[in-house]
Amino acid sequence: MKTSTIALAAALALSACGSPSNTKAQEGGFAEAPRQVPGDAAGLKASFAPVVRLAAPAVVNIAAQGVQQYRDPFWGIPGQRQTGSIGSGVIVRPTGVVVTNNHVIQNMQQIRVTLNDRREFPARVILSDERSDIAVLQLEGVSERLPVLNLDDGNDQQVGDLVLAIGNPFGVGQTVTNGIISALNRTETGISDSGSFIQTDAAINPGNSGGALVDMDGDLIGINTAIFSRSGSSSGVGFAIPVSMVRQVIDAAVGGATAVVRPWLGVKGETVSQDIASSLGLERPRGLVVTNLYPNGPAARAGVREGDVITAIDGTEVHDQGGLNFRVGSRNPGDAVQITVLRDGRSQTLNARAQRLPGDADTDKAVVIRNGALTGASVLVLNPALADSLGGDPFASGVIITGVQGRSYAAAIGFMPGDLLVSINDRPVTTAQQAESLARGARVTVQRRGRLLNTTIR
């Protein structure tokens, strides 16, 4: 965050801020100034109004409606019920391109967007990315240039920086709350295995999802997406998706892509604990120990070895797999990536090039099994691209069940969509032909929702 010389000149007691630069003024923002603690109590009474006036017109309210299929639990009669969702969004292109959370519009058929000036527009989804929880909408019927927020993905935010959360909590209309960045690069949140979130104490309530987290220049630095709260209220810890990830989804959407392509290095590791750090002679726990390399993958070609400790990607520290996935995944395929590793007590930098995950992620190519115990199941041989698109481990192998016909033999045995067939009679399953050979009496290992299940087909 860069401090505003207009909104917080008194609050931050800046001694020599100067006037707004021409470049920043043309973008609608404020001049940069050094961070400084408020000098006196009077300085704390300054207003955020100039920042709000700049940012608020580009923050919108979203109301979505859908139809949910259900079956009566007593009579078993199928039916439909109306569902709805409210949230927030941010205009990022003057032609009416809006970014929001995917969970705000997922499975919804009608989307209506209300601007800050109360104008309403229908919207359609041009790209939804469940993995990052970002969706991009296009407002329909836009005949003039709309206000937008500048995207600041300079990664110059610091813990303690002031931020504003702007959104539509509880559907009451646009509201603004302020707070500070309380942590950066939060990865072990359970929200996403490839996310690195901005943590804030700004009040975030239901309906704020998809809204803007802005700095004191009025620039967008994140999309508010979740809050951890014991009470369910705003008295908790809020998390925002950094703009570096948001921009990737926006660029893919406006470029006509149907999915976000995230590159990888083909490396898997384990977080360095205190015990691991002691065994490696490290002064403190940092980085992750490489435990697996994809054959001939980008990291392997760059010279990374199993047992290396990866401490940074492009100069930014990483401490777990999620942090590494985020740093690499927010790049584009073909980009150069610098990997800093510790090897034999010495630090060195290796040059790699991020690449698309190998394989085909198209689930429409599933094969329907016609014989054996899996009759009626649709299967695909797992590959890194497919596994990643399904939210799984790109290093996983096996045959995944993508669908099961209602009264099929596979359904009667108990197989379910999403099951990963790992082995048959203790032999790894790597082809659809092996899956078709599954018969009674065979021992099978299936991974279901992250758990390994061992059984014998009866």
Side-chain angles (χ1 to χ4, degrees), residues 265-289:
L265 292 180
V267 62
K268 189 175 181 180
E270 178 184 350
T271 300
V272 174
S273 63
Q274 182 62 61
D275 290 340
I276 294 176
S278 299
S279 68
L280 295 175
L282 301 180
E283 59 184 17
R284 64 180 177 87
R286 59 177 176 141
L288 65 160
V289 181

Side-chain angles (χ1 to χ4, degrees), residues 154-235:
N155 293 320
D156 62 345
Q157 291 84 33
Q158 296 181 20
V159 174
D161 282 350
L162 287 163
V163 289
L164 301 181
I166 308 177
N168 178 37
F170 303 113
V172 299
Q174 191 175 93
T175 64
V176 181
T177 56
N178 80 286
I180 64 169
I181 294 176
S182 53
L184 293 167
N185 304 320
R186 285 293 196 213
T187 53
E188 297 178 347
T189 61
I191 302 171
S192 168
D193 63 351
S194 60
S196 182
F197 296 90
I198 300 171
Q199 178 180 304
T200 176
D201 66 345
I204 297 174
N205 283 292
N208 270 116
S209 290
L213 187 70
V214 302
D215 63 14
M216 291 300 101
D217 285 323
D219 290 338
L220 183 72
I221 63 170
I223 293 295
N224 298 316
T225 190
I227 186 169
F228 286 172
S229 171
R230 291 176 181 265
S231 65
S233 69
S234 63
S235 56

Side-chain angles (χ1 to χ4, degrees), residues 130-152:
E130 187 173 359
R131 188 75 179 272
S132 65
D133 196 18
I134 290 293
V136 182
L137 315 178
Q138 174 63 60
L139 304 188
E140 298 180 328
V142 176
S143 58
E144 61 184 83
R145 293 176 65 84
L146 299 180
V148 301
L149 276 183
N150 294 322
L151 274 61
D152 181 2

Side-chain angles (χ1 to χ4, degrees), residues 351-431:
N351 295 311
R353 195 163 292 278
Q355 300 292 337
R356 292 171 179 261
L357 279 79
D360 190 346
D362 189 357
T363 57
D364 293 333
K365 296 182 179 180
V367 176
V368 179
I369 302 297
R370 304 295 184 186
N371 299 294
L374 279 173
T375 298
S378 302
V379 302
L380 279 170
V381 177
L382 206 61
N383 59 65
L386 177 61
D388 183 71
S389 71
L390 297 174
D393 181 2
F395 281 81
S397 61
V399 171
I400 189 166
I401 298 175
T402 61
V404 178
Q405 296 174 4
R407 297 185 178 180
S408 65
Y409 194 28
I413 291 176
F415 286 106
M416 300 171 59
D419 285 351
L420 179 64
L421 192 61
V422 178
S423 68
I424 298 175
N425 292 328
D426 301 323
R427 294 182 179 179
V429 179
T430 57
T431 67

Side-chain angles (χ1 to χ4, degrees), residues 47-105:
S47 173
F48 292 109
V51 184
V52 176
R53 281 197 299 269
L54 180 69
V59 181
V60 302
N61 301 338
I62 297 175
Q65 291 185 334
V67 176
Q68 182 183 41
Q69 305 293 330
Y70 75 96
R71 185 174 294 275
D72 186 281
F74 185 76
W75 300 105
I77 301 173
Q80 295 180 338
R81 63 165 64 95
Q82 293 288 330
T83 62
S85 174
I86 59 171
S88 308
V90 180
I91 306 173
V92 292
R93 295 289 190 276
T95 53
V97 176
V98 172
V99 63
T100 185
N101 279 141
N102 180 68
H103 71 258
V104 172
I105 54 84

